[in-house]
Amino acid sequence: MRWFGLVLLLALAACDEPRSAAYSPERGSSFEPVAVELQSTQLAQKIDGIATLVSPDSLTLLNAEIRAAEIASGFSQRSLDRYKGIHTLGEQRVDNAARQASTDATQVALLKLRLRNAWGDTAPVLDPANRDRLVDELASGKTTIVRLDFPRSVDRDLRNVRITPLGGGDEITVTTIWQAPSGNLAMPGASFFGLMPAGPGLRPGDRAKITAERGAPLVGVVVPASAVVVFAGDSWCYVEKPLGGFERKQVSLSTPVDGGYLTDSLAAGTKVVVRGASALLSREADPGSFDDDDDAKPRPGKPVSEAQPPDDQGPISTSGLN
């Protein structure tokens, strides 16, 4: 009998334990969710892409052609100016000198147009002094040209552009960026050229990963991932009301960030449930399943008419019964 009594006491103690650790009832049988206050934050808009290291050979050769054409154009122009000052020369010789000077000047213009079409209207190589300095840095291996391809349209105000080799390695910062004259057929979107210090393990033709920031920072609050619940195909979170209780609010998952989702639909200072949100959803979907006072309310799904009437209904009339 003593063993039977001990087993009975243990069974009664087990019945008093909480039904689920997720709900963690405290102070009797009441459910206590945990909420945190959201803080205003600003996050940079990040965009990823693919970088391709460009061989400097075409730029080096084109720069040599431009310099040779400029030397020839300068020589023919000086010859023309000298011939014009000699009155004893025949008109045919002066005309030939003028024709040669015009041809050489046109050749220089065509080569510069070719440079613009290949590298863009805002390329730093369009300036002769910058072009000579850049060619020297490319030839010495100090600087590398890289093509930046992004899968969608990007404004020109890219910031903090970094290159990471696909095989792994340290990030390399792109120092100068300008719009490329044409896009990449394999990746429709936006393309740029950039200059960066030559990094180890990267050679012309190699590809790398791009990480960049664009546009104005995103302003809002970060809803923790633990606060998000899914119901009826949408995402929600529970907000604590000022006077008590909780209200379900829809949350957009279009801007994922570290630890949650950025949204501007909730104000800073709002308290959202981060522990127990799924239990609140279950309670909302089936309110009676969490009622602890079983004698006070009928079970869900049981018609009210089937509830037992009070015992004290007064005397039953027997009039009409014989």
Side-chain angles (χ1 to χ4, degrees), residues 20 51 265 284:
S20 173
S265 61
E284 181 181 0

Side-chain angles (χ1 to χ4, degrees), residues 232-256:
D234 291 321
S235 302
W236 310 81
C237 70
Y238 279 92
V239 175
E240 184 176 343
K241 296 181 179 180
L243 300 180
F246 303 90
E247 182 180 4
R248 180 159 49 90
K249 296 283 189 179
Q250 193 167 1
V251 179
S252 173
L253 306 184
S254 59
T255 310

Side-chain angles (χ1 to χ4, degrees), residues 36-249:
V36 298
E37 185 174 310
L38 301 181
Q39 303 294 331
S40 178
T41 185
Q42 291 187 1
L43 297 177
Q45 300 186 55
K46 295 185 178 181
I47 183 171
D48 297 329
I50 296 295
T52 305
L53 272 69
V54 180
S55 173
D57 293 346
S58 60
L59 177 61
T60 302
L61 293 175
L62 184 55
N63 180 64
E65 292 181 21
I66 292 175
R67 294 184 64 178
E70 288 176 339
I71 293 174
S73 178
F75 177 79
S76 59
Q77 184 62 45
R78 289 192 299 271
S79 299
L80 175 61
D81 294 339
R82 186 173 66 254
Y83 290 166
K84 288 182 178 179
I86 302 176
H87 301 288
T88 58
L89 292 177
E91 294 183 359
Q92 183 176 3
R93 191 168 183 180
V94 175
D95 291 342
N96 291 337
R99 189 179 303 108
Q100 184 64 42
S102 176
T103 301
D104 292 341
T106 301
Q107 180 65 18
V108 172
L110 289 175
L111 290 173
K112 289 184 176 180
L113 178 61
R114 179 178 159 193
L115 179 70
R116 183 183 298 272
N117 291 337
W119 297 99
D121 294 334
T122 59
V125 296
L126 298 182
D127 181 76
N130 288 337
R131 184 170 65 249
D132 292 339
R133 176 182 55 81
L134 178 58
V135 168
D136 291 340
E137 293 180 357
L138 292 172
S140 62
K142 296 180 180 179
T143 303
T144 300
I145 299 178
V146 61
R147 182 182 177 92
L148 313 172
D149 295 315
F150 296 95
R152 56 182 181 272
S153 179
V154 181
D155 297 332
R156 295 186 180 182
D157 58 340
L158 286 175
R159 303 183 307 276
N160 197 18
V161 181
R162 302 176 303 280
I163 302 298
T164 305
L166 295 180
D170 297 334
E171 291 184 340
I172 305 173
T173 301
V174 180
T175 56
T176 305
I177 300 173
W178 69 92
Q179 188 84 34
S182 60
N184 189 344
L185 296 179
M187 186 182 294
S191 298
F192 299 82
F193 282 118
L195 301 176
M196 68 180 191
L202 291 176
R203 295 172 297 179
D206 289 348
R207 291 195 170 189
K209 178 183 177 182
I210 308 171
T211 303
E213 299 174 2
R214 66 185 180 107
L218 299 174
V219 181
V221 295
V222 176
V223 177
S226 58
V228 178
V229 293
V230 178
F231 176 71
D234 291 321
S235 302
W236 310 81
C237 70
Y238 279 92
V239 175
E240 184 176 343
K241 296 181 179 180
L243 300 180
F246 303 90
E247 182 180 4
R248 180 159 49 90
K249 296 283 189 179

